[in-house]
Amino acid sequence: MYQIQALAKVAGVSVRTLRYYHEIGLLVPQVAPNGYRQYSEADVDTLQLIVMYRQLDFSLAQIKQLLTTPASKRLARLKEQQVIIAAKRTELDQISQQLAATIHNQEEAQQMSDKQKFEAFKHAQIKANDDQYGAEVTARFGSEQKRAADQHFGQLTQAQYQQMQEAEQQLTAALKTYLAAPALPSAAAEAAFQAHRDWLQVAMPDYTPQIHQQLAAMYVADERFGKYYTKLVGDRDAAVALEAIISYYTKA
């Protein structure tokens, strides 16, 4: 059993906080005849949950409700938060890399030509892609195919990169139209497929329908791709729809 001072020290919270949790019925200890609060091992486990939930920005009312749910549901909720944090961490890593490249470009702005800036951008993009997706791409397509794709991307001209940007804009518009009234075949579906194929044929040196199919399968198998297309199109079904479109037209 822990007395309040000892538990506060172990948990890294204040005595005042533990008293408040007692007052609102969030963490209720046993009270000895002398009036001292005493906390059991189960109370310590509960406090660990409370501290974790607070770090995740749950309100005290939400925490109180969560503590009444079955342990399996609490565990599932924590795992959901773990996935969210991992995604945020990946996004922050990408932003950090882009920020470092931007700072470098700004510091060297007087010395770097537009061509040099574009080269720096491509190398930064290759590294960011490798950090986030490298293992999955290598596993699915092989290290040689990945190396060739990275080398090809590194040799893109600004005109080719602009082609990719335009193709992505066309893909976004076509997918939005398709998702408003999904149908295969349809003009919107074909336009989305052609735009994605145009993008991929610029991005990859050895395009084949089979590679296109495999890449589309990754869009639904890996939630990071799903989030990318959700953000791009503004619809959480975007990746699934794109995979269905690519599968249909590559087979056709």
Side-chain angles (χ1 to χ4, degrees), residues 5 20 24-25 36 42 70 91 102 125 129 142 157 165-166 175 179 184 196 202 208 211 221-222 226 231 236 238:
Q5 293 280 358
Y20 182 64
I24 64 175
Y36 287 171
E91 185 177 357
T102 301
Q125 190 65 50
N129 288 341
T157 65
Q165 296 292 95
E166 291 172 357
L175 262 182
L179 286 163
L184 285 170
H196 194 270
V202 177
T208 66
I211 288 177
D222 191 319
K231 185 176 180 180
R236 63 182 180 181

PDB file of all heavy atoms in Angstrom, residues 5 20 24-25 36 42 70 91 102 125 129 142 157 165-166 175 179 184 196 202 208 211 221-222 226 231 236 238:
ATOM      1  N   GLN A   5       1.844  10.683  -0.287  1.00  0.00           N
ATOM      2  CA  GLN A   5       3.125  11.313  -0.595  1.00  0.00           C
ATOM      3  C   GLN A   5       4.001  10.376  -1.417  1.00  0.00           C
ATOM      4  O   GLN A   5       4.633  10.784  -2.400  1.00  0.00           O
ATOM      5  CB  GLN A   5       3.847  11.694   0.709  1.00  0.00           C
ATOM      6  CG  GLN A   5       3.178  12.783   1.514  1.00  0.00           C
ATOM      7  CD  GLN A   5       3.481  14.165   0.955  1.00  0.00           C
ATOM      8  OE1 GLN A   5       4.225  14.314  -0.008  1.00  0.00           O
ATOM      9  NE2 GLN A   5       2.888  15.196   1.568  1.00  0.00           N
ATOM     10  N   TYR A  20      -7.404  15.806  -5.685  1.00  0.00           N
ATOM     11  CA  TYR A  20      -8.475  16.222  -6.591  1.00  0.00           C
ATOM     12  C   TYR A  20      -9.106  15.015  -7.281  1.00  0.00           C
ATOM     13  O   TYR A  20     -10.339  14.937  -7.409  1.00  0.00           O
ATOM     14  CB  TYR A  20      -7.943  17.202  -7.626  1.00  0.00           C
ATOM     15  CG  TYR A  20      -9.005  17.710  -8.579  1.00  0.00           C
ATOM     16  CD1 TYR A  20     -10.067  18.478  -8.118  1.00  0.00           C
ATOM     17  CD2 TYR A  20      -8.960  17.387  -9.929  1.00  0.00           C
ATOM     18  CE1 TYR A  20     -11.050  18.931  -8.981  1.00  0.00           C
ATOM     19  CE2 TYR A  20      -9.937  17.838 -10.808  1.00  0.00           C
ATOM     20  CZ  TYR A  20     -10.981  18.609 -10.327  1.00  0.00           C
ATOM     21  OH  TYR A  20     -11.956  19.042 -11.184  1.00  0.00           O
ATOM     22  N   ILE A  24     -13.182  13.981  -7.115  1.00  0.00           N
ATOM     23  CA  ILE A  24     -14.097  13.829  -8.248  1.00  0.00           C
ATOM     24  C   ILE A  24     -14.416  12.362  -8.554  1.00  0.00           C
ATOM     25  O   ILE A  24     -15.126  12.053  -9.513  1.00  0.00           O
ATOM     26  CB  ILE A  24     -13.539  14.499  -9.524  1.00  0.00           C
ATOM     27  CG1 ILE A  24     -12.243  13.823  -9.991  1.00  0.00           C
ATOM     28  CG2 ILE A  24     -13.335  15.987  -9.298  1.00  0.00           C
ATOM     29  CD1 ILE A  24     -11.712  14.363 -11.311  1.00  0.00           C
ATOM     30  N   GLY A  25     -13.876  11.449  -7.731  1.00  0.00           N
ATOM     31  CA  GLY A  25     -14.182  10.034  -7.898  1.00  0.00           C
ATOM     32  C   GLY A  25     -13.414   9.362  -9.019  1.00  0.00           C
ATOM     33  O   GLY A  25     -13.800   8.288  -9.475  1.00  0.00           O
ATOM     34  N   TYR A  36      -5.626   8.851   6.738  1.00  0.00           N
ATOM     35  CA  TYR A  36      -4.638   8.813   5.669  1.00  0.00           C
ATOM     36  C   TYR A  36      -5.181   8.034   4.471  1.00  0.00           C
ATOM     37  O   TYR A  36      -5.838   6.995   4.630  1.00  0.00           O
ATOM     38  CB  TYR A  36      -3.346   8.159   6.153  1.00  0.00           C
ATOM     39  CG  TYR A  36      -2.518   9.008   7.108  1.00  0.00           C
ATOM     40  CD1 TYR A  36      -1.425   8.464   7.765  1.00  0.00           C
ATOM     41  CD2 TYR A  36      -2.842  10.339   7.357  1.00  0.00           C
ATOM     42  CE1 TYR A  36      -0.653   9.234   8.645  1.00  0.00           C
ATOM     43  CE2 TYR A  36      -2.091  11.113   8.221  1.00  0.00           C
ATOM     44  CZ  TYR A  36      -1.003  10.551   8.865  1.00  0.00           C
ATOM     45  OH  TYR A  36      -0.258  11.327   9.717  1.00  0.00           O
ATOM     46  N   ALA A  42      -3.611  -2.035  -7.448  1.00  0.00           N
ATOM     47  CA  ALA A  42      -4.615  -1.777  -8.489  1.00  0.00           C
ATOM     48  C   ALA A  42      -4.795  -0.273  -8.704  1.00  0.00           C
ATOM     49  O   ALA A  42      -4.978   0.187  -9.841  1.00  0.00           O
ATOM     50  CB  ALA A  42      -5.951  -2.418  -8.107  1.00  0.00           C
ATOM     51  N   PRO A  70     -14.721  -2.157 -20.213  1.00  0.00           N
ATOM     52  CA  PRO A  70     -13.915  -3.375 -20.062  1.00  0.00           C
ATOM     53  C   PRO A  70     -12.460  -3.143 -20.458  1.00  0.00           C
ATOM     54  O   PRO A  70     -12.156  -2.304 -21.305  1.00  0.00           O
ATOM     55  CB  PRO A  70     -14.599  -4.359 -21.031  1.00  0.00           C
ATOM     56  CG  PRO A  70     -15.998  -3.841 -21.170  1.00  0.00           C
ATOM     57  CD  PRO A  70     -15.895  -2.357 -21.074  1.00  0.00           C
ATOM     58  N   GLU A  91       4.828  11.902 -40.039  1.00  0.00           N
ATOM     59  CA  GLU A  91       4.555  13.175 -40.703  1.00  0.00           C
ATOM     60  C   GLU A  91       5.509  14.262 -40.211  1.00  0.00           C
ATOM     61  O   GLU A  91       6.032  15.052 -41.003  1.00  0.00           O
ATOM     62  CB  GLU A  91       3.106  13.589 -40.449  1.00  0.00           C
ATOM     63  CG  GLU A  91       2.689  14.845 -41.198  1.00  0.00           C
ATOM     64  CD  GLU A  91       1.225  15.189 -40.996  1.00  0.00           C
ATOM     65  OE1 GLU A  91       0.518  14.411 -40.320  1.00  0.00           O
ATOM     66  OE2 GLU A  91       0.788  16.225 -41.508  1.00  0.00           O
ATOM     67  N   THR A 102      14.827  23.127 -46.724  1.00  0.00           N
ATOM     68  CA  THR A 102      14.441  24.514 -46.995  1.00  0.00           C
ATOM     69  C   THR A 102      15.423  25.492 -46.346  1.00  0.00           C
ATOM     70  O   THR A 102      15.835  26.478 -46.967  1.00  0.00           O
ATOM     71  CB  THR A 102      13.022  24.783 -46.473  1.00  0.00           C
ATOM     72  OG1 THR A 102      12.111  23.890 -47.113  1.00  0.00           O
ATOM     73  CG2 THR A 102      12.593  26.214 -46.768  1.00  0.00           C
ATOM     74  N   GLN A 125      13.569  14.321 -51.498  1.00  0.00           N
ATOM     75  CA  GLN A 125      12.342  13.553 -51.703  1.00  0.00           C
ATOM     76  C   GLN A 125      12.629  12.060 -51.737  1.00  0.00           C
ATOM     77  O   GLN A 125      11.879  11.256 -51.181  1.00  0.00           O
ATOM     78  CB  GLN A 125      11.684  13.988 -53.014  1.00  0.00           C
ATOM     79  CG  GLN A 125      10.283  13.437 -53.217  1.00  0.00           C
ATOM     80  CD  GLN A 125       9.293  13.973 -52.194  1.00  0.00           C
ATOM     81  OE1 GLN A 125       9.210  15.167 -51.981  1.00  0.00           O
ATOM     82  NE2 GLN A 125       8.568  13.090 -51.541  1.00  0.00           N
ATOM     83  N   ASN A 129      11.050   9.416 -49.089  1.00  0.00           N
ATOM     84  CA  ASN A 129      10.306   8.249 -49.562  1.00  0.00           C
ATOM     85  C   ASN A 129      10.937   6.960 -49.060  1.00  0.00           C
ATOM     86  O   ASN A 129      10.252   5.999 -48.695  1.00  0.00           O
ATOM     87  CB  ASN A 129      10.235   8.234 -51.085  1.00  0.00           C
ATOM     88  CG  ASN A 129       9.313   9.300 -51.641  1.00  0.00           C
ATOM     89  OD1 ASN A 129       8.465   9.818 -50.920  1.00  0.00           O
ATOM     90  ND2 ASN A 129       9.484   9.656 -52.903  1.00  0.00           N
ATOM     91  N   GLY A 142      11.559  -5.626 -55.131  1.00  0.00           N
ATOM     92  CA  GLY A 142      12.962  -6.023 -55.178  1.00  0.00           C
ATOM     93  C   GLY A 142      13.889  -4.827 -55.103  1.00  0.00           C
ATOM     94  O   GLY A 142      13.536  -3.722 -55.520  1.00  0.00           O
ATOM     95  N   THR A 157      13.999  15.670 -65.218  1.00  0.00           N
ATOM     96  CA  THR A 157      14.146  17.096 -65.509  1.00  0.00           C
ATOM     97  C   THR A 157      12.988  17.848 -64.855  1.00  0.00           C
ATOM     98  O   THR A 157      11.988  17.252 -64.439  1.00  0.00           O
ATOM     99  CB  THR A 157      14.114  17.349 -67.022  1.00  0.00           C
ATOM    100  OG1 THR A 157      12.805  16.993 -67.522  1.00  0.00           O
ATOM    101  CG2 THR A 157      15.173  16.519 -67.739  1.00  0.00           C
ATOM    102  N   GLN A 165       3.328  16.504 -61.739  1.00  0.00           N
ATOM    103  CA  GLN A 165       2.441  17.368 -60.965  1.00  0.00           C
ATOM    104  C   GLN A 165       1.105  17.567 -61.667  1.00  0.00           C
ATOM    105  O   GLN A 165       0.034  17.508 -61.047  1.00  0.00           O
ATOM    106  CB  GLN A 165       3.107  18.730 -60.727  1.00  0.00           C
ATOM    107  CG  GLN A 165       4.370  18.680 -59.877  1.00  0.00           C
ATOM    108  CD  GLN A 165       4.081  18.293 -58.445  1.00  0.00           C
ATOM    109  OE1 GLN A 165       4.183  17.108 -58.104  1.00  0.00           O
ATOM    110  NE2 GLN A 165       3.729  19.240 -57.610  1.00  0.00           N
ATOM    111  N   GLU A 166       1.174  17.783 -62.975  1.00  0.00           N
ATOM    112  CA  GLU A 166      -0.055  17.977 -63.755  1.00  0.00           C
ATOM    113  C   GLU A 166      -0.887  16.700 -63.779  1.00  0.00           C
ATOM    114  O   GLU A 166      -2.119  16.742 -63.685  1.00  0.00           O
ATOM    115  CB  GLU A 166       0.300  18.423 -65.168  1.00  0.00           C
ATOM    116  CG  GLU A 166       0.881  19.841 -65.226  1.00  0.00           C
ATOM    117  CD  GLU A 166       1.401  20.205 -66.607  1.00  0.00           C
ATOM    118  OE1 GLU A 166       1.358  19.331 -67.505  1.00  0.00           O
ATOM    119  OE2 GLU A 166       1.857  21.356 -66.786  1.00  0.00           O
ATOM    120  N   LEU A 175     -10.756  11.534 -59.831  1.00  0.00           N
ATOM    121  CA  LEU A 175     -11.192  10.701 -58.716  1.00  0.00           C
ATOM    122  C   LEU A 175     -12.364  11.328 -57.969  1.00  0.00           C
ATOM    123  O   LEU A 175     -13.284  10.625 -57.543  1.00  0.00           O
ATOM    124  CB  LEU A 175     -10.024  10.476 -57.748  1.00  0.00           C
ATOM    125  CG  LEU A 175      -9.243   9.167 -57.869  1.00  0.00           C
ATOM    126  CD1 LEU A 175      -8.162   9.090 -56.810  1.00  0.00           C
ATOM    127  CD2 LEU A 175     -10.148   7.955 -57.778  1.00  0.00           C
ATOM    128  N   LEU A 179     -15.831   9.373 -57.521  1.00  0.00           N
ATOM    129  CA  LEU A 179     -16.370   9.050 -56.199  1.00  0.00           C
ATOM    130  C   LEU A 179     -17.769   9.618 -55.993  1.00  0.00           C
ATOM    131  O   LEU A 179     -18.524   9.115 -55.157  1.00  0.00           O
ATOM    132  CB  LEU A 179     -15.423   9.573 -55.118  1.00  0.00           C
ATOM    133  CG  LEU A 179     -14.132   8.747 -54.949  1.00  0.00           C
ATOM    134  CD1 LEU A 179     -13.075   9.538 -54.175  1.00  0.00           C
ATOM    135  CD2 LEU A 179     -14.442   7.438 -54.238  1.00  0.00           C
ATOM    136  N   LEU A 184     -17.812   1.405 -63.031  1.00  0.00           N
ATOM    137  CA  LEU A 184     -16.768   0.834 -63.889  1.00  0.00           C
ATOM    138  C   LEU A 184     -17.437   0.017 -64.988  1.00  0.00           C
ATOM    139  O   LEU A 184     -18.223  -0.881 -64.693  1.00  0.00           O
ATOM    140  CB  LEU A 184     -15.837  -0.069 -63.071  1.00  0.00           C
ATOM    141  CG  LEU A 184     -14.838   0.628 -62.158  1.00  0.00           C
ATOM    142  CD1 LEU A 184     -14.158  -0.369 -61.231  1.00  0.00           C
ATOM    143  CD2 LEU A 184     -13.795   1.363 -62.989  1.00  0.00           C
ATOM    144  N   HIS A 196      -3.177   8.498 -63.604  1.00  0.00           N
ATOM    145  CA  HIS A 196      -2.251   7.779 -62.720  1.00  0.00           C
ATOM    146  C   HIS A 196      -1.185   7.043 -63.525  1.00  0.00           C
ATOM    147  O   HIS A 196      -0.013   7.014 -63.126  1.00  0.00           O
ATOM    148  CB  HIS A 196      -3.020   6.786 -61.843  1.00  0.00           C
ATOM    149  CG  HIS A 196      -2.209   6.257 -60.700  1.00  0.00           C
ATOM    150  ND1 HIS A 196      -1.449   5.126 -60.791  1.00  0.00           N
ATOM    151  CD2 HIS A 196      -2.021   6.741 -59.427  1.00  0.00           C
ATOM    152  CE1 HIS A 196      -0.839   4.908 -59.638  1.00  0.00           C
ATOM    153  NE2 HIS A 196      -1.166   5.870 -58.795  1.00  0.00           N
ATOM    154  N   VAL A 202       6.142   8.396 -65.961  1.00  0.00           N
ATOM    155  CA  VAL A 202       7.226   9.366 -65.799  1.00  0.00           C
ATOM    156  C   VAL A 202       8.086   8.989 -64.598  1.00  0.00           C
ATOM    157  O   VAL A 202       9.314   9.091 -64.632  1.00  0.00           O
ATOM    158  CB  VAL A 202       6.671  10.795 -65.615  1.00  0.00           C
ATOM    159  CG1 VAL A 202       7.817  11.790 -65.375  1.00  0.00           C
ATOM    160  CG2 VAL A 202       5.868  11.220 -66.828  1.00  0.00           C
ATOM    161  N   THR A 208       5.025  -1.403 -66.273  1.00  0.00           N
ATOM    162  CA  THR A 208       4.241  -2.496 -66.836  1.00  0.00           C
ATOM    163  C   THR A 208       2.890  -2.499 -66.130  1.00  0.00           C
ATOM    164  O   THR A 208       2.776  -2.005 -65.000  1.00  0.00           O
ATOM    165  CB  THR A 208       4.907  -3.872 -66.609  1.00  0.00           C
ATOM    166  OG1 THR A 208       4.911  -4.161 -65.194  1.00  0.00           O
ATOM    167  CG2 THR A 208       6.319  -3.919 -67.168  1.00  0.00           C
ATOM    168  N   ILE A 211       3.263  -4.078 -62.658  1.00  0.00           N
ATOM    169  CA  ILE A 211       3.795  -3.182 -61.628  1.00  0.00           C
ATOM    170  C   ILE A 211       2.708  -2.205 -61.171  1.00  0.00           C
ATOM    171  O   ILE A 211       2.574  -1.910 -59.981  1.00  0.00           O
ATOM    172  CB  ILE A 211       5.021  -2.413 -62.168  1.00  0.00           C
ATOM    173  CG1 ILE A 211       6.219  -3.351 -62.288  1.00  0.00           C
ATOM    174  CG2 ILE A 211       5.367  -1.220 -61.270  1.00  0.00           C
ATOM    175  CD1 ILE A 211       7.456  -2.711 -62.884  1.00  0.00           C
ATOM    176  N   ALA A 221      -3.353  -1.920 -48.922  1.00  0.00           N
ATOM    177  CA  ALA A 221      -2.726  -2.755 -47.897  1.00  0.00           C
ATOM    178  C   ALA A 221      -2.008  -1.919 -46.847  1.00  0.00           C
ATOM    179  O   ALA A 221      -1.872  -2.344 -45.696  1.00  0.00           O
ATOM    180  CB  ALA A 221      -1.734  -3.727 -48.548  1.00  0.00           C
ATOM    181  N   ASP A 222      -1.554  -0.741 -47.227  1.00  0.00           N
ATOM    182  CA  ASP A 222      -0.783   0.113 -46.315  1.00  0.00           C
ATOM    183  C   ASP A 222      -1.567   1.394 -46.059  1.00  0.00           C
ATOM    184  O   ASP A 222      -1.811   2.174 -46.977  1.00  0.00           O
ATOM    185  CB  ASP A 222       0.580   0.440 -46.938  1.00  0.00           C
ATOM    186  CG  ASP A 222       1.541   1.088 -45.952  1.00  0.00           C
ATOM    187  OD1 ASP A 222       1.081   1.945 -45.162  1.00  0.00           O
ATOM    188  OD2 ASP A 222       2.738   0.765 -45.973  1.00  0.00           O
ATOM    189  N   GLY A 226      -3.228   5.077 -48.017  1.00  0.00           N
ATOM    190  CA  GLY A 226      -4.637   5.459 -47.919  1.00  0.00           C
ATOM    191  C   GLY A 226      -4.803   6.872 -47.402  1.00  0.00           C
ATOM    192  O   GLY A 226      -5.610   7.651 -47.915  1.00  0.00           O
ATOM    193  N   LYS A 231      -6.129  12.582 -48.085  1.00  0.00           N
ATOM    194  CA  LYS A 231      -5.778  13.997 -47.994  1.00  0.00           C
ATOM    195  C   LYS A 231      -5.798  14.653 -49.371  1.00  0.00           C
ATOM    196  O   LYS A 231      -6.257  15.788 -49.526  1.00  0.00           O
ATOM    197  CB  LYS A 231      -4.385  14.137 -47.371  1.00  0.00           C
ATOM    198  CG  LYS A 231      -3.957  15.563 -47.112  1.00  0.00           C
ATOM    199  CD  LYS A 231      -2.608  15.603 -46.394  1.00  0.00           C
ATOM    200  CE  LYS A 231      -2.165  17.028 -46.124  1.00  0.00           C
ATOM    201  NZ  LYS A 231      -0.850  17.073 -45.428  1.00  0.00           N
ATOM    202  N   ARG A 236     -12.135   9.480 -47.797  1.00  0.00           N
ATOM    203  CA  ARG A 236     -11.403   8.358 -47.216  1.00  0.00           C
ATOM    204  C   ARG A 236     -11.492   7.085 -48.061  1.00  0.00           C
ATOM    205  O   ARG A 236     -10.764   6.124 -47.818  1.00  0.00           O
ATOM    206  CB  ARG A 236     -11.908   8.079 -45.801  1.00  0.00           C
ATOM    207  CG  ARG A 236     -13.354   7.647 -45.706  1.00  0.00           C
ATOM    208  CD  ARG A 236     -13.753   7.458 -44.259  1.00  0.00           C
ATOM    209  NE  ARG A 236     -15.135   7.041 -44.129  1.00  0.00           N
ATOM    210  CZ  ARG A 236     -15.746   6.826 -42.966  1.00  0.00           C
ATOM    211  NH1 ARG A 236     -15.064   6.998 -41.841  1.00  0.00           N
ATOM    212  NH2 ARG A 236     -16.998   6.450 -42.911  1.00  0.00           N
ATOM    213  N   ALA A 238     -10.816   7.103 -51.250  1.00  0.00           N
ATOM    214  CA  ALA A 238     -10.072   7.402 -52.474  1.00  0.00           C
ATOM    215  C   ALA A 238      -9.110   6.289 -52.858  1.00  0.00           C
ATOM    216  O   ALA A 238      -9.040   5.886 -54.028  1.00  0.00           O
ATOM    217  CB  ALA A 238      -9.312   8.722 -52.309  1.00  0.00           C
TER     218      ALA A 238
END
